[in-house]
Amino acid sequence: MAYKKFEPGDELAEDTYSAVEKAVDTGDVVTGTNEVTKAIERNEAELVVIAGDVSPEEIVMHLPSLAEDREVDYTYVPEKEELGIAAGVNVQAASVAVTSSGNAEGDIQDIASKSSELLEAQEE
């Protein structure tokens, strides 16, 4: 995948799905690439989650660079179907942005830290 800058392990992906579910229940999450793009541009996104099975890739290809430009943490999960379920929508979600972490704040910080480490390791 041209847009994936690092490969999260299964454990990180599961933690990410769980954190998104928590944020939906106690905070706020936006779904859909257009809304996620707006959240990043408005500096409202705390964490961006991008599905790894998006086709065509161009739909989400701009998100990692935009997030980096705006210093927003991001990570990947394997499946858009599972991401949609975690985000509480009845459709697949190519991407979501956590805009208010609620009770998931510690989880989101942990995911952001692990994702940053993976990204740095990949760039070396």
Side-chain angles (χ1 to χ4, degrees):
M1 303 277 155
Y3 62 91
K4 285 181 81 174
K5 295 192 174 190
F6 61 89
E7 190 64 49
D10 292 342
E11 185 179 337
L12 181 56
E14 288 306 316
D15 290 349
T16 303
Y17 290 132
S18 177
V20 169
E21 287 175 4
K22 249 192 229 182
V24 166
D25 291 341
T26 61
D28 197 27
V29 173
V30 297
T31 58
T33 304
N34 288 341
E35 293 304 312
V36 170
T37 301
K38 289 179 201 171
I40 296 168
E41 289 173 340
R42 295 175 182 155
N43 294 319
E44 297 171 352
E46 295 177 20
L47 177 71
V48 173
V49 183
I50 306 164
D53 61 348
V54 177
S55 180
E57 294 178 1
E58 289 76 13
I59 294 170
V60 295
M61 195 174 267
H62 68 287
L63 292 177
S65 335
L66 181 61
E68 287 173 9
D69 289 348
R70 298 294 180 124
E71 297 180 356
V72 173
D73 293 306
Y74 65 94
T75 192
Y76 304 97
V77 292
E79 299 176 19
K80 58 189 174 191
E81 177 99 26
E82 194 72 29
L83 186 55
I85 292 167
V89 295
N90 294 328
V91 293
Q92 298 174 344
S95 59
V96 303
V98 176
T99 54
S100 173
S101 53
N103 291 344
E105 185 173 0
D107 298 338
I108 287 172
Q109 288 173 349
D110 189 41
I111 291 162
S113 173
K114 289 177 180 173
S115 296
S116 292
E117 288 172 17
L118 288 169
L119 181 60
E120 287 171 20
Q122 194 68 31
E123 291 177 344
E124 289 178 354

